[in-house]
């Protein structure tokens, strides 16, 4: 019976064939990333300063003592974050690092599962191995695990926040967002989505949780004030190394200040127009609005702020997954060219063309984020102009054909009618093959 499963007697659907091929690839990729690449580590070690800070906090020693003139990873979490991560130092550094790797890997897998649920897929759908393989093949997941930082947990918080926000569980959504902000403020811009939807209770816990944790951590910390007087000032400065934000690459390449600000202002205007169109015409299309707006806000935050690093792109997974929606802004090749820029693990450094290779490697993330924002803005502006030209703005800006088109998650070929002769053959074949029909209706790849 077991061997018979390796060579089924009936034809399989396309979706089943893809699942058979991708599940082993996805599972083995996850195991490689977690137990080989991550455990091996790399010269960049984000975990060491976190462990040392946790140890200092538990022993009531100063925490914010980093020399910010050095390029080594620094400890930059606020006192509330220090309080949450302090248990890491209860065991030895090596085992603590392994636990932190497993914690983030588990968080990423949970985020994968919640993303499937968010877009109404199941683990048995073909989308499951496709998404899992894509996530663990990306630079953002690989380097999050290898460098051993907290971004996997932040991704889980983002997806959980989106699901709770859509379910109108405002206080819980705010609590999840508040916990993530207590560690690092990456997801702070998402409160704008709650404001746009009028879910003001989100703010109670999104602000209250980090404030409460800070109040608890303050008397337990030797130098909590140093975060606000010293570390926070460093966080708002732009650096010209390991920084893919516009200001980072502008500083590295020596661009004049007026040009740097000009680029930031132009991109900021594009983001503002995009968010206005989303708010004005897509507020009622809740899943599309929340996932697309979150992606735009996160990308703008990475690109326009003082610091943006490639592995922050993990927070864009909800936006990328929205490609299955009928009106997704991701259904075009320039958008995925942009995704390649900031998600690919490929290195473009060249021994033969060193200058060109260095430029491609350093700029591809910045250009990728920028191109993604431009593509989304262009898609929505084009829809708006077409709708205004055709006099249908009051009905929204989606084209007529798009309104009746199925989502990829809903698409499926209807069962084909069986001709009398075929029915007889199928019945006979079923009788001689253990009750299995030879001709099964095809199913869509995305069910």
């Amino acid at each position: 019976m077991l061997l018979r499963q390796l060579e089924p007697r009936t034809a399989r659907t396309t979706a089943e064939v893809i699942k058979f091929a991708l599940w082993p690839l996805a599972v083995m990729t996850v195991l490689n990333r977690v137990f080989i690449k991550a455990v091996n580590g790399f010269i960049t070690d984000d975990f060491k300063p976190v462990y040392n800070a946790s140890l200092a906090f538990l022993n009531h020693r100063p925490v914010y003592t980093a020399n910010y003139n050095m390029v080594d990873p620094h400890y930059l979490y606020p006192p509330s974050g220090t309080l949450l991560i302090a248990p890491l130092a209860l065991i030895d550094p090596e085992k603590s690092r392994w636990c932190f790797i497993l914690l983030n890997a588990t968080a990423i897998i949970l985020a994968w599962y919640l993303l499937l649920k968010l877009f109404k897929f199941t683990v048995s759908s073909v989308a499951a191995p496709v998404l899992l393989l894509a996530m663990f093949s990306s630079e953002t997941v690989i380097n999050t695990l290898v460098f051993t930082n907290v971004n996997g947990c932040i991704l889980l918080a983002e997806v959980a926040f989106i699901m709770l926000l859509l379910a109108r569980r405002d206080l819980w959504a705010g609590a999840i967002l508040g916990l993530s902000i207590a560690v690092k403020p990456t997801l702070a811009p998402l409160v704008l989505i709650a404001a746009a939807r009028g879910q003001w209770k989100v703010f109670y816990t999104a602000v209250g949780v980090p404030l409460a944790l800070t109040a608890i951590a303050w008397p337990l910390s030797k130098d909590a004030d140093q975060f606000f007087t010293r570390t926070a000032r460093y966080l708002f400065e732009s650096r010209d190394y390991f920084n893919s934000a516009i200001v980072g690459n502008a500083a590295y390449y020596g661009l004049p200040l007026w040009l740097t600000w000009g680029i930031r202002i132009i991109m900021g205007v594009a983001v503002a127009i995009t968010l206005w169109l989303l708010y004005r015409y897509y507020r009622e299309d809740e899943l599309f609005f929340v996932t697309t707006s979150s992606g735009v806000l996160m990308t703008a935050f990475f690109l326009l702020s003082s610091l943006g690093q490639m592995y922050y792109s993990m927070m864009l997974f909800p936006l990328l997954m929205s490609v299955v929606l009928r009106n997704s802004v991701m259904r075009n090749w320039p958008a995925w060219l942009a995704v390649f820029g900031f998600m690919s693990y490929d290195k473009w450094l060249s021994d033969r063309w060193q200058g060109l290779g260095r430029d491609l490697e350093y700029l591809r993330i910045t250009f990728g984020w920028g191109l993604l924002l431009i593509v989304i803005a262009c898609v929505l502006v084009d829809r708006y102009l077409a709708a205004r030209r055709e006099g249908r703005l009051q009905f929204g800006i989606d084209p007529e054909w798009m309104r009746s088109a199925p989502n990829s998650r809903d698409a499926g070929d209807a069962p084909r009618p069986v001709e009398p002769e075929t029915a007889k053959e199928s019945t006979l074949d079923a009788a001689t093959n253990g009750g299995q029909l030879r001709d099964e209706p095809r199913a869509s790849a995305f069910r």
Side-chain angles (χ1 to χ4, degrees):
M1 181 64 70
L2 177 63
L3 293 178
R4 189 180 301 168
Q5 299 304 312
L6 299 178
E7 187 61 43
R9 298 183 184 182
T10 58
R12 295 292 189 179
T13 63
T14 302
E16 286 179 317
V17 171
I18 294 174
K19 285 190 291 183
F20 288 154
L22 289 189
W23 265 120
L25 297 179
V27 170
M28 296 309 295
T29 298
V30 171
L31 294 176
N32 173 267
R33 302 308 190 245
V34 175
F35 296 105
I36 304 300
K37 274 190 171 296
V39 173
N40 286 349
F42 191 64
I43 189 171
T44 300
D45 185 357
D46 290 343
F47 181 74
K48 183 177 180 180
V50 170
Y51 184 88
N52 290 339
S54 300
L55 190 63
F57 177 82
L58 292 179
N59 288 280
H60 204 60
R61 298 198 304 263
V63 171
Y64 301 102
T65 59
N67 179 1
Y68 297 132
N69 293 318
M70 305 292 289
V71 300
D72 294 331
H74 305 304
Y75 182 74
L76 304 174
Y77 297 165
S80 54
T82 306
L83 176 68
L84 291 175
I85 65 173
L88 287 172
L90 293 176
I91 57 178
D92 66 89
E94 184 178 39
K95 291 186 177 63
S96 179
R97 180 174 176 271
W98 293 351
C99 289
F100 202 52
I101 290 170
L102 287 176
L103 174 65
N104 277 276
T106 302
I108 293 168
I109 292 172
L110 284 174
W112 161 79
Y113 175 73
L114 293 180
L115 275 174
L116 291 176
K117 288 193 64 177
L118 182 64
F119 288 92
K120 294 183 172 58
F121 290 110
T122 65
V123 176
S124 61
S125 70
V126 71
V130 170
L131 179 60
L132 188 64
L133 179 60
M135 291 175 74
F136 278 84
S137 297
S138 66
E139 183 277 345
T140 181
V141 168
I142 294 173
N143 280 345
T144 286
L145 297 174
V146 171
F147 299 165
T148 319
N149 58 54
V150 75
N151 287 336
C153 297
I154 302 299
L155 171 65
L156 177 59
E158 180 191 22
V159 179
F161 168 76
I162 290 173
M163 294 191 73
L164 291 168
L165 194 72
L166 290 170
R168 300 282 173 173
R169 306 289 295 277
D170 295 0
L171 293 177
W172 282 108
I176 294 294
L177 191 63
L179 281 173
S180 74
I181 293 173
V183 177
K184 58 192 300 188
T186 305
L187 301 183
L190 297 185
V191 297
L192 296 176
I193 299 177
R197 289 166 54 85
Q199 295 177 251
W200 301 107
K201 289 183 180 179
V202 168
F203 286 80
Y204 299 164
T205 44
V207 175
V209 167
L211 287 179
L213 289 172
T214 299
I216 296 171
W218 197 278
L220 301 176
S221 178
K222 182 76 171 178
D223 59 344
D225 60 304
Q226 289 295 304
F227 173 80
F228 297 97
T229 60
R230 185 167 177 267
T231 304
R233 186 165 61 247
Y234 171 76
L235 286 172
F236 285 102
E237 296 174 355
S238 58
R239 65 194 197 199
D240 61 357
Y241 61 93
F242 301 136
N243 187 1
S244 296
I246 289 173
V247 291
N249 268 322
Y252 179 81
Y253 286 99
L255 297 186
L257 188 62
W258 67 266
L259 181 56
T260 304
W261 273 104
I263 296 172
R264 295 175 83 184
I265 291 171
I266 291 172
M267 293 304 303
V269 170
V271 170
I273 293 172
T274 300
L275 292 174
W276 181 82
L277 289 171
L278 287 169
Y279 175 78
R280 176 67 179 81
Y281 294 105
Y282 288 103
R283 255 189 350 269
E284 303 306 318
D285 189 351
E286 294 189 319
L287 182 57
F288 173 81
F289 174 73
V290 172
T291 54
T292 306
S293 298
S294 67
V296 171
L297 286 169
M298 289 289 92
T299 308
F301 186 61
F302 306 152
L303 187 67
L304 302 178
S305 66
S306 60
L307 176 64
Q309 294 186 293
M310 188 175 180
Y311 51 48
Y312 293 174
S313 302
M314 186 182 294
M315 310 312 151
L316 304 185
F317 280 133
L319 170 64
L320 305 189
M321 190 63 183
S322 73
V323 72
V324 302
L325 302 178
R326 65 171 66 88
N327 53 356
S328 174
V329 294
M330 300 299 297
R331 291 190 169 191
N332 56 81
W333 68 261
W336 292 95
L337 176 63
V339 171
F340 179 85
F342 56 76
M343 281 288 183
S344 170
Y345 193 61
D346 294 344
K347 301 298 180 185
W348 287 81
L349 298 173
S350 169
D351 294 334
R352 178 61 182 84
W353 300 285
Q354 295 185 7
L356 176 61
R358 185 169 58 250
D359 292 343
L360 288 172
E361 178 65 18
Y362 293 171
L363 291 172
R364 67 186 177 98
I365 305 102
T366 310
F367 284 173
W369 288 337
L371 178 59
L372 182 63
L373 292 176
I374 291 170
V375 167
I376 295 174
C378 288
V379 168
L380 294 177
V381 168
D382 179 64
R383 290 181 188 177
Y384 171 81
L385 293 176
R388 188 177 69 172
R389 186 169 58 250
E390 297 167 10
R392 51 181 176 81
L393 280 178
Q394 66 271 31
F395 305 111
I397 62 175
D398 281 344
E400 290 293 338
W401 63 266
M402 190 177 289
R403 295 177 188 175
S404 58
N407 293 314
S408 293
R409 64 185 183 188
D410 301 325
D413 295 333
R416 293 170 294 177
V418 181
E419 298 297 330
E421 293 80 8
T422 307
K424 294 177 183 177
E425 294 174 2
S426 296
T427 304
L428 178 61
D429 191 65
T432 56
N433 285 302
Q436 292 180 308
L437 289 177
R438 180 182 60 192
D439 295 321
E440 298 176 348
R442 291 184 303 148
S444 168
F446 287 95
R447 287 172 27 191

